[in-house]
Amino acid sequence: MRASEALALMLKSQLLEGASWLLAGRLTSNLLGLASSLIAERLLMPEDFGLMAIAMSLFASAAVECLSGPRLFS
C-alpha cells in the first residue's frame, strides 16, 4: 500500500468517526430538547405553555437570523 493510499484511508476513517460523533451529539441535543418540552408541558398550565412556545419560536427565529449573517440589500 502506498503512502497516499494509506493517508486517504486514514482520512476517510477520521471523517466517518467525526461525522458519527456529530450525529450522536445532534441526536442527543434534540432528544433532550424534546424531553424538556414534554416535562414543561406537564408542569405548566396551557396558557403558560403557549407563551413558552411563542418565546421559543422567537428565539429560534433570532438564532436563524444570527447564523445567516447580515443581508444588507435583500
Side-chain angles (χ1 to χ4, degrees):
M1 181 178 272
R2 295 173 51 189
S4 62
E5 292 172 353
L7 180 63
L9 185 61
M10 184 178 69
L11 287 175
K12 182 179 178 181
S13 171
Q14 289 178 345
L15 177 71
L16 288 174
E17 183 181 356
S20 64
W21 276 109
L22 184 63
L23 180 65
R26 213 40 110 103
L27 182 63
T28 302
S29 175
N30 287 342
L31 287 175
L32 287 173
L34 176 64
S36 67
S37 293
L38 291 175
I39 291 170
E41 178 185 6
R42 295 290 294 165
L43 294 176
L44 296 174
M45 299 295 289
E47 298 84 14
D48 296 332
F49 186 74
L51 287 174
M52 188 187 83
I54 291 170
M56 287 175 61
S57 66
L58 290 175
F59 282 124
S61 297
V64 168
E65 282 296 318
C66 287
L67 292 174
S68 66
R71 292 177 287 170
L72 296 176
F73 300 106
S74 57

